[in-house]
Amino acid sequence: MTSEKVTDAPEEGYERGLGSRQVQMIAIGGAIGVGLFLGAGANIAKAGPSLILMYALAGVIIFFIMRALGELLLHRPVSGSFAEYSREFLGPFFGYFTGWTYWLMWVVTGMAELTAAAIYVNYWFPSVPQWVTALVFLVILFGVNLISVKLFGELEFWFSMVKVTALIGMIVIGLGVLTFGFSSAGDAAAVSNLWAFDGFFPKGVGSSLMTLQGVMFAYLAVELVGVTAGESENPEKTLPKAINTLPWRIALFYVGALTVILCVVKWTEFAEGVSPFVKAFAVIGIPAAAGIVNFVVLTAALSSCNSGMYSTGRMLRNLAASGEAPEVFARLSSTRTPALGILVSVCFMGIGVVLNYVVPEKAFGYVTSIATAAGIWTWLMILISHVLYRRAVEAGRLPASSFPAPGGAKCSYVAIAFLLFVTGIIAYDADARVCLYVMAGWAAALGIGWMVLTSRNPRIAERRTREFEKVG
């Protein structure tokens, strides 16, 4: 029976309106977010120059995750891919749990980005309440996502272009300061700043490892390229290219930019809540440039929130197509966007506006820890699905992907171990631990929801089988 096969494409009806140019820039922009532009300030204060090593280490793991995802995407490119692969390889419950958890991740990430955007606007307009700014941005981005996927892609392209250009400019100016000595930084700018103030690990290796939870938050959204699969014009060509460029993006935009900044400005001058990029330009003595960088980091926050609205609507539609969310979320608007799913997600993102009203000084920290925990779950599901897929290929049950991950499943096992280690760090940190309590409550709520769903429709819990078919 056709209903028993996993052959219906959940992305059916979407407009394939994302060209190669847009997918590439979405992938690049996904690796540059508010976690780098804002969160890095607090992490530098905790770990000093060793934060560079933490970003490099986490970047290697992220590449393992993305190559695992890439192999799955070329096995079967679908919108809402993480939930679909969890459903196919681990069973219906895991697809349901992953889909809803990824939705939660983007909702709370959207809250974090709105909070960050409001903080950046305060740089120019300190008298404007954070919650007012957050609400205005929420409404504007909601309108953009309702119009069409092409408009989303174009806006995301230019958001990402601004971020990339600014980071490259920061690196070039920083290298100029180090090489030629111009700027107010003067002789204070030197490569020796990486070890001159209590060494490369000024607060010990343990403190450096504790920053990994914040570092992993900075990498949330790199997997967004997988959500675009159902709306990409040519996923077989654009997705591998986007994933294979990830290492140089991480090396340049994270490791490179932070290395230059920490050479120009000694690490002891950074603090929580202050963008290291704005601080660096202020020390260099280019006040106008600091304002420009503040604009750039504002676009980074809006870019991520824009992506969040995009992905949450698609994930809700994927869940609805599988009977794991209300059927009404499966409908597309006249512009072929999942408008109702986006609307509901935006309403939940509005909780971030409330947090900015009630606890503006703590709002960012609360939501980033929850987003990180949800993101770790999503990455674990990608990796475990990849391991099971490779087993199926080796057993001859499924065709091999045209984009195999280097090292096969071995790198996925390494990444799984690393993510479990980061989860242990979160559990050890008293401030971050609250997100695990939230996730436990979330898991309980989803468990109850699953029992209700399966009691009404037992077929939802049936493991469906896939035909042996060549993809691509």
Side-chain angles (χ1 to χ4, degrees):
M1 288 176 60
T2 304
S3 60
E4 290 302 313
K5 301 172 189 172
V6 192
T7 53
D8 296 328
E11 74 274 16
E12 184 179 353
Y14 284 133
E15 176 186 9
R16 287 194 176 269
L18 295 177
S20 176
R21 170 180 65 93
Q22 293 166 325
V23 171
Q24 294 299 322
M25 198 54 78
I26 287 171
I28 292 172
I32 309 169
V34 72
L36 172 64
F37 284 122
L38 181 62
N43 287 325
I44 290 172
K46 293 176 183 176
S50 64
L51 183 65
I52 298 168
L53 182 60
M54 296 301 105
Y55 271 106
L57 174 61
V60 172
I61 300 301
I62 290 297
F63 181 62
F64 291 166
I65 294 170
M66 289 304 294
R67 282 305 303 256
L69 175 59
E71 183 165 357
L72 291 169
L73 285 171
L74 270 295
H75 153 64
R76 186 163 66 98
V78 290
S79 186
S81 54
F82 326 115
E84 277 296 295
Y85 301 139
S86 299
R87 192 174 290 118
E88 179 176 352
F89 296 107
L90 286 97
F93 174 76
F94 287 94
Y96 158 83
F97 195 100
T98 301
W100 277 109
T101 301
Y102 193 66
W103 174 84
L104 173 70
M105 186 200 88
W106 270 114
V107 165
V108 295
T109 298
M111 295 179 193
E113 307 300 356
L114 288 170
T115 301
I119 291 172
Y120 296 141
V121 170
N122 276 354
Y123 178 85
W124 295 297
F125 306 104
S127 61
V128 178
Q130 277 186 208
W131 71 269
V132 172
T133 309
L135 180 60
V136 169
F137 286 138
L138 185 68
V139 172
I140 292 173
L141 293 178
F142 173 55
V144 167
N145 272 270
L146 285 187
I147 296 172
S148 74
V149 69
K150 283 186 177 179
L151 181 59
F152 158 79
E154 199 60 29
L155 185 63
E156 200 57 33
F157 174 85
W158 289 107
F159 273 156
S160 296
M161 183 66 76
V162 168
K163 292 186 286 187
V164 169
T165 303
L167 276 177
I168 292 175
M170 172 70 228
I171 293 171
V172 170
I173 291 173
L175 289 174
V177 170
L178 290 169
T179 305
F180 302 108
F182 65 83
S183 86
S184 300
D187 296 335
V191 176
S192 60
N193 284 339
L194 294 178
W195 60 83
F197 300 93
D198 298 323
F200 190 71
F201 291 90
K203 297 193 175 181
V205 175
S207 293
S208 299
L209 292 174
M210 290 300 290
T211 64
L212 281 174
Q213 53 185 306
V215 169
M216 295 309 288
F217 172 77
Y219 284 123
L220 290 183
V222 292
E223 75 292 323
L224 181 65
V225 68
V227 182
T228 68
E231 291 167 278
S232 302
E233 289 176 352
N234 192 345
E236 288 79 9
K237 290 185 178 180
T238 58
L239 296 180
K241 185 177 179 181
I243 291 170
N244 278 335
T245 57
L246 185 64
W248 73 258
R249 282 185 268 135
I250 290 173
L252 179 64
F253 298 134
Y254 280 90
V255 178
L258 281 175
T259 300
V260 170
I261 285 175
L262 288 170
C263 287
V264 172
V265 185
K266 56 185 180 182
W267 72 269
T268 53
E269 296 190 26
F270 294 100
E272 184 174 357
V274 178
S275 168
F277 294 86
V278 174
K279 176 69 175 177
F281 272 117
V283 170
I284 289 172
I286 315 176
I292 293 171
V293 173
N294 197 68
F295 169 74
V296 171
V297 294
L298 172 62
T299 65
L302 296 179
S303 167
S304 187
C305 189
N306 188 40
S307 297
M309 291 183 188
Y310 169 86
S311 58
T312 51
R314 273 71 185 170
M315 195 56 71
L316 283 180
R317 185 168 188 248
N318 178 277
L319 289 163
S322 302
E324 296 161 358
E327 288 183 12
V328 69
F329 289 133
R331 299 174 187 169
L332 293 177
S333 67
S334 58
T335 57
R336 295 163 78 180
T337 60
L340 184 60
I342 295 172
L343 173 61
V344 170
S345 302
V346 165
C347 289
F348 277 95
M349 287 182 190
I351 296 173
V353 177
V354 177
L355 283 175
N356 274 284
Y357 179 74
V358 179
V359 284
E361 71 286 351
K362 295 182 178 180
F364 186 76
Y366 284 157
V367 294
T368 55
S369 63
I370 296 171
T372 303
I376 286 174
W377 173 270
T378 301
W379 290 334
L380 282 171
M381 290 301 100
I382 291 171
L383 293 166
I384 295 172
S385 295
H386 177 248
V387 169
L388 295 176
Y389 166 70
R390 289 302 296 247
R391 288 181 185 175
V393 170
E394 291 167 5
R397 297 193 303 273
L398 286 174
S401 170
S402 60
F403 187 49
K410 296 183 183 69
C411 291
S412 289
Y413 281 119
V414 172
I416 289 169
F418 180 85
L419 292 178
L420 293 177
F421 174 70
V422 174
T423 303
I425 289 174
I426 293 173
Y428 181 77
D429 188 331
D431 292 331
R433 194 183 304 148
V434 64
C435 75
L436 298 182
Y437 300 141
V438 172
M439 291 304 295
W442 175 252
L446 286 182
I448 293 170
W450 180 252
M451 288 190 289
V452 172
L453 281 173
T454 53
S455 66
R456 293 179 177 177
N457 184 5
R459 294 188 64 185
I460 291 175
E462 294 176 5
R463 180 184 282 271
R464 295 168 290 176
T465 57
R466 168 163 290 285
E467 287 187 333
F468 191 103
E469 56 179 328
K470 185 173 176 58
V471 180

